[in-house]
């Protein structure tokens, strides 16, 4: 990544003064630059005047709807990643937010640690998507040819297996939960138990292929949580 995550510039569009100040303080302590807007109009004006690495967007604002801002940003061709923050946690609300162009969705109340993890993930994904290749922990992926290798060993992966491995690479050793895989790899707005077996099958097949090709297994199962990529020699 060319730009350090901790120096990323964030725009927080949130009308609750207490919440916005607490979030901004926590984010600044992590090294992020944070600008605050408390209305839809103020937020949209800020986006048109400044370049941000990520926008934290509240759904309900006093002078409009966060979804309206999001749709306008996408209609204007602005690809800045947007993380929706809202108390509306129903599946149909999540689907509406994602379908409107949001990159991720976090329901209130949430822990700062979870927000920070989502921010890191989005910034890394955005950086990787702008590059032609990515690497972490000895795993190399070519996003143009959609080929993957470990050291000199090429991996014969299906398109979905490549997507899973590429996503794990973007997380740089952080855990990918099943919810994250459903949302980011399978592009499903809701959480469906029927996908659990699908994820397990793809993981099992991918790990078998990696062991056969490279004689190692860099994917670690974190029981009850998800999966992460281990560094390998």
């Amino acid at each position: 990544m060319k730009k350090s995550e901790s120096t990323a510039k964030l725009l927080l569009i949130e009308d609750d003064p207490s919440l916005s100040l607490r979030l901004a303080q926590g984010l600044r302590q992590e090294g992020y630059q944070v600008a605050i807007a408390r209305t839809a109009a103020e937020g949209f004006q800020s986006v048109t005047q400044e370049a941000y690495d990520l926008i934290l967007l509240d759904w309900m604002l006093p002078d409009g709807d966060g979804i309206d801002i999001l749709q306008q940003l996408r209609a204007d061709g602005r690809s800045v990643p947007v993380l929706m923050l809202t108390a509306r946690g129903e599946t149909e609300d999540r689907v509406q937010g994602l379908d409107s162009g949001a990159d991720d969705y976090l329901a209130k109340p949430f822990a700062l640690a979870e927000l920070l993890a989502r921010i890191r993930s989005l910034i890394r994904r955005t950086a990787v998507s702008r590059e032609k290749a990515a690497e972490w922990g000895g795993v190399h992926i070519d996003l143009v040819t959609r080929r993957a290798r470990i050291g000199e060993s090429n991996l014969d992966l299906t398109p979905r297996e490549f997507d899973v491995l590429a996503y794990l690479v973007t997380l740089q050793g952080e855990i990918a939960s099943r919810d994250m895989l459903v949302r980011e790899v399978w592009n499903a707005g809701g959480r469906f138990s029927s996908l659990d077996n699908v994820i397990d099958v793809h993981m099992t097949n991918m790990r078998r292929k990696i062991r056969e090709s490279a004689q190692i297994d860099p994917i670690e199962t974190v029981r009850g949580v998800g999966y992460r990529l281990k560094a390998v020699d």
Side-chain angles (χ1 to χ4, degrees), residues 130-143:
R130 292 171 180 165
E131 302 293 334
K132 295 181 179 179
E135 184 275 337
W136 194 84
V139 179
H140 304 259
I141 58 171
D142 187 317
L143 298 171

Side-chain angles (χ1 to χ4, degrees), residues 43-184:
F44 192 77
Q45 181 180 18
S46 185
V47 172
T48 60
Q49 294 176 345
E50 299 286 342
Y52 293 98
D53 296 292
L54 184 141
I55 296 174
L56 304 170
L57 177 60
D58 187 27
W59 188 304
M60 302 299 293
L61 295 166
D63 60 337
D65 195 322
I67 290 292
D68 295 333
I69 297 178
L70 177 58
Q71 291 175 335
Q72 186 61 56
L73 290 175
R74 298 311 187 222
D76 290 346
R78 300 179 186 275
S79 59
V80 55
V82 174
L83 171 56
M84 295 290 295
L85 305 176
T86 177
R88 302 173 64 169
E90 297 298 324
T91 298
E92 56 267 27
D93 295 322
R94 295 198 300 269
V95 171
Q96 182 184 358
L98 295 170
D99 284 347
S100 297
D103 296 273
D104 203 351
Y105 187 106
L106 191 55
K108 300 175 182 177
F110 52 80
L112 179 62
E114 182 176 6
L115 176 63
L116 290 170
R118 300 287 187 94
I119 290 172
R120 289 192 297 268
S121 175
L122 283 176
I123 291 176
R124 288 170 181 169
R125 284 167 45 202
T126 302
V128 169
S129 69
R130 292 171 180 165
E131 302 293 334
K132 295 181 179 179
E135 184 275 337
W136 194 84
V139 179
H140 304 259
I141 58 171
D142 187 317
L143 298 171
V144 177
T145 63
R146 293 181 59 82
R147 294 184 180 278
R149 63 182 174 83
I150 297 179
E152 300 302 318
S153 301
N154 293 318
L155 306 178
D156 183 19
L157 304 178
T158 67
R160 183 71 78 185
E161 290 166 356
F162 176 87
D163 290 339
V164 172
L165 186 60
Y167 182 59
L168 293 177
V169 169
T170 68
L171 295 181
Q172 303 283 284
E174 292 195 8
I175 298 172
S177 68
R178 289 177 179 271
D179 284 346
M180 293 165 68
L181 290 168
V182 168
R183 183 176 62 248
E184 305 300 339

Side-chain angles (χ1 to χ4, degrees), residues 176-206:
S177 68
R178 289 177 179 271
D179 284 346
M180 293 165 68
L181 290 168
V182 168
R183 183 176 62 248
E184 305 300 339
V185 178
W186 272 264
N187 296 314
R191 182 72 167 85
F192 305 100
S193 60
S194 60
L195 280 180
D196 286 345
N197 288 336
V198 174
I199 292 173
D200 289 342
V201 169
H202 279 84
M203 282 293 182
T204 298
N205 290 340
M206 182 172 63

